[in-house]
Amino acid sequence: MKELTHYINGEHVKGTSGRFSDVFNPATGEVQAKCPLASAAELELAVKAAQAAQPAWGATNPQRRARVMMKFVDLLNRDMDKLAEALSAEHGKTFPDAKGDIQRGLEVIEYCIGAPQLLKGEFTDSAGPGIDMYSMKQPLGVTAGITPFNFPAMIPMWMFGPALACGNAFILKPSERDPSVPLMLAELFEEAGLPKGLLQVVNGDKEAVDAILYHDVIQSIGFVGSTPIAQYIYGTGCSQGKRVQCFGGAKNHMIIMPDADMDQAADALIGAGYGAAGERCMAISVAVPVGEETADRLIEKLVPRIEKLKVGPWTSGNDVDYGPVVTAEAKQRILGLVQTGIDQGAELVVDGRDFSLQGYEDGFFVGPHLFDRVTPDMDIYKQEIFGPVLTTVRAGNYEEALKLAMDHEYGNGTAIFTRDGDAARDFAARINIGMVGINVPIPVPLAYHTFGGWKKSGFGDLNQHGPDSFKFYTRTKTVTSRWPSGIKEGGEFNFKAMD
């Protein structure tokens, strides 16, 4: 049995708490490794190393920090297949999808190469007689991130890339379900020239999370996961005086207008609803066709596409559409919600409950499901299923469709499929959701824009990656400078306004 480690101060360190979590092969259901769960004392070792290493890194020229980012990008491309294989083996997603996970993280690192430009301050000369004013963007110090299982490469890079580019040290607490890739990324960054102690990986559970939340040296925390935990981390972290950004659950709606290209819409829903077994916070899980005729046409297009989906392990080749979910518990929760949908009166058009894959009967595979005539009071509509289950809610008109998305408690992503520019423009302007797609089913912004949801999908004032990330990982210091000329006599005891 393979025993994984922490990565502290440039070394693989065996866990000392005596507590471990099983890392499964989701395709077979077998335990393939043990992940150590850190104690507060183990986290303290990482904090001390980070605190010692950060000042010199923060004082390093941003251009030199950017060169480390450049080398890291080269190494990511060199080891892309190796990283993707490790990711697929622990998460279960297909090999092309695993490479996409790494690629979208790599793109944020590429953006961070622009740190010298992004970290420039402002300057005003002659703000008053002989007075100049300027601002400096300075690193926070020691920062931390708590990341989810569903993107074990991308989301850590979304956090530690900007944090390191800004001159901070970063402690990563990844998901204990698939921790190998984060450990590999830390090794690669040091190979790229990052000094030891600046990027460390501490595996753990709530004990490690609480140690991060209450540690007075750690200045900021990033989190992605479920909404209840996001609320807990945001509230606790803010109460401790930390800068915190937390991103939670989602229930993403796609409105299909009567004029939409129905083949295009159906293809988009297949990829967005069933890709990565639905384990994406930007997955489309609710289709909202406008009008009965539109709904009937959409269902007619969806059913044969869903029935042709190829479900299997990532080792079966690149034509596999999606793999298993991450754990047996996740599988049982999904199937439990499917049964709840049936019990509450939704129409199960495609039933994947009896799906079984020969040779992989103990794997965590879930067949594709399609519900029709779902209503907003049903649990399968209200809750994030996080599995290969697409629900269809029929709307009588555009305003009703818009209201469905706007009234839901989550506000991560949404999309509209239409050939009417006026409808698309109105939708983009009015919808109260953070990321919007127009004929784009998964509107994840590119690295030079920001990623973040609204309502109960996001907590904090600043989003992930893009310009917001450089604001999140720096503090602004403003300096007022006066260099007297000639001989100045006497002092002034009143606070005078600048002329």
Side-chain angles (χ1 to χ4, degrees), residues 312-331:
W314 71 274
T315 51
S316 291
N318 292 348
D319 61 339
V320 172
D321 293 305
Y322 72 84
V325 296
V326 70
T327 61
E329 291 78 12
K331 176 179 178 177

Side-chain angles (χ1 to χ4, degrees), residues 51-366:
Q51 192 176 20
Q54 188 275 326
W57 179 246
T60 299
N61 183 305
Q63 191 168 0
R64 293 185 181 275
R65 297 200 297 258
R67 288 172 186 163
V68 176
M69 300 282 160
M70 293 171 68
K71 180 62 176 176
F72 182 58
V73 168
D74 287 342
L75 296 176
L76 285 172
N77 282 309
R78 182 197 72 186
D79 289 359
M80 178 69 72
D81 286 358
K82 179 182 176 182
L83 289 162
E85 287 174 5
L87 197 159
S88 292
E90 289 185 352
H91 177 280
K93 64 176 65 176
T94 66
F95 188 67
D97 199 24
K99 291 179 74 171
D101 185 330
I102 299 159
Q103 179 64 36
R104 291 308 291 262
L106 183 155
E107 290 168 3
V108 169
I109 304 298
E110 288 177 330
Y111 176 76
C112 293
I113 292 170
Q117 171 68 22
L118 294 162
L119 291 172
K120 289 197 302 185
E122 298 174 321
F123 185 90
T124 300
D125 68 309
S126 300
I131 295 174
D132 300 325
M133 300 183 73
Y134 60 94
S135 64
M136 298 184 289
K137 294 180 180 179
Q138 296 189 319
L140 303 179
V142 179
T143 61
I146 302 161
T147 56
F149 75 87
N150 60 326
F151 285 96
M154 181 183 80
I155 294 177
M157 284 193 271
W158 283 10
M159 292 185 189
F160 67 61
L164 293 168
C166 290
N168 300 286
F170 192 89
I171 297 171
L172 173 64
K173 204 301 286 182
S175 171
E176 64 275 19
R177 297 174 186 173
D178 45 12
S180 290
V181 169
L183 292 166
M184 296 166 71
L185 293 174
E187 287 182 314
L188 284 182
F189 233 131
E190 289 188 7
E191 185 181 345
L194 186 73
K196 297 180 187 302
L198 291 171
L199 176 57
Q200 303 178 91
V201 181
V202 178
N203 292 301
D205 54 6
K206 189 175 185 297
E207 183 174 345
V209 169
D210 285 343
I212 289 169
L213 287 170
Y214 289 101
H215 204 295
D216 57 2
V217 171
I218 295 173
Q219 300 298 303
S220 75
I221 300 171
F223 171 81
V224 177
S226 69
T227 287
I229 299 176
Q231 290 176 306
Y232 169 72
I233 290 174
Y234 185 72
T236 306
C238 289
S239 74
Q240 298 302 305
K242 302 184 190 307
R243 185 174 292 181
V244 188
Q245 58 174 192
C246 292
F247 299 92
K251 198 71 178 180
N252 305 319
H253 296 63
M254 183 173 125
I255 285 81
I256 301 97
M257 297 296 288
D259 67 340
D261 182 316
M262 210 54 60
D263 286 306
Q264 182 190 40
D267 287 339
L269 281 168
I270 294 298
Y274 300 100
E279 292 178 320
R280 294 171 175 160
C281 66
M282 288 295 283
I284 292 291
S285 54
V286 184
V288 187
V290 175
E292 289 295 321
E293 182 183 353
T294 306
D296 290 342
R297 289 164 55 213
L298 180 66
I299 295 295
E300 183 181 353
K301 296 284 187 182
L302 284 173
V303 170
R305 286 170 165 81
I306 296 169
E307 290 176 341
K308 290 177 183 176
L309 286 172
K310 182 177 180 180
V311 183
W314 71 274
T315 51
S316 291
N318 292 348
D319 61 339
V320 172
D321 293 305
Y322 72 84
V325 296
V326 70
T327 61
E329 291 78 12
K331 176 179 178 177
Q332 290 308 310
R333 181 181 178 276
I334 294 163
L335 293 177
L337 280 167
V338 168
Q339 187 59 50
T340 299
I342 295 168
D343 294 343
Q344 293 179 351
E347 180 184 339
L348 187 58
V349 180
V350 178
D351 186 351
R353 288 175 294 173
D354 295 330
F355 179 85
S356 182
L357 192 62
Q358 186 175 1
Y360 295 90
E361 290 83 1
D362 294 328
F364 311 140
F365 292 96
V366 179

